[in-house]
Amino acid sequence: MKILVLNGPNLNMLGIREPSIYGRQDYSALVDFVKNAAQELSCEVEVRQSNHEGVLVDWIQEAYGKFDGIVINPAAYTHTSVAILDALKAAGLPTVEVHLSDIMQREEFRHISYAGMACKTTFKGLGFEGYSKALEYLMLNR
Ligand code: CA2
């Protein structure tokens, strides 16, 4: 099973500010964590990050026929992007949404997730662990 892991804007800044919300570890630690989790689950992963909505849309479209599933943390685009929602629907791959923080316990504008409407489930508020849970979910529900 080959899974595309996508991370949205500012996640490359992890560990630099707001450690009380996102933790102290940086983005490269997140990539290492996801790769280790994939190895333990015997699945293949490709991990990408972009600050640009259109790039994320392109990657989702291109995943069709190349990957068996998507794990996505769309970051701030979660709450704004109908384009990412439409791309996920168009690609039609099993997709799981992840958020490091619990978006439902934060500001009201973070309570809506457009991307989540095309996802099988969401793991939120579990930090890095949410990504391993998402990979596991895709492996068990393929
Ligand atoms: O909790 C999550 O994973 C989020 O997707 C993270 C996004 C936020 O906009 C979502 O509402 C929830 C933010 C990504 C990282 O933002 C940083 C901000 C300051 C310092 C470092 C990263």
Side-chain angles (χ1 to χ4, degrees), residues 63-135:
Y64 178 77
K66 293 192 189 122
F67 292 89
D68 306 301
I70 298 174
V71 170
I72 187 165
N73 182 346
Y77 290 140
T78 305
H79 321 296
T80 61
S81 181
V82 177
I84 289 176
L85 168 62
D86 287 346
L88 290 171
K89 284 185 173 172
L93 292 168
T95 301
V96 175
E97 178 187 27
V98 173
H99 295 287
L100 296 166
S101 63
D102 185 350
I103 54 174
M104 298 311 287
Q105 302 297 322
R106 298 183 63 191
E107 305 95 320
E108 212 165 307
F109 67 84
R110 294 186 204 271
H111 294 184
I112 178 101
S113 169
Y114 290 103
M117 295 172 194
C119 293
K120 299 255 179 219
T121 191
T122 299
F123 293 101
K124 55 181 169 27
L126 302 174
F128 287 7
E129 207 65 36
Y131 288 80
S132 51
K133 297 246 185 247
L135 292 177

Side-chain angles (χ1 to χ4, degrees), residues 39-80:
Q39 208 168 8
E40 273 173 34
L41 291 163
S42 300
C43 68
E44 221 180 301
V45 278
E46 197 165 312
V47 187
R48 302 184 196 162
Q49 187 275 333
S50 178
N51 292 328
H52 305 280
E53 186 177 20
V55 171
L56 292 163
V57 167
D58 287 344
W59 286 343
I60 293 165
Q61 289 181 8
E62 287 160 17
Y64 178 77
K66 293 192 189 122
F67 292 89
D68 306 301
I70 298 174
V71 170
I72 187 165
N73 182 346
Y77 290 140
T78 305
H79 321 296
T80 61

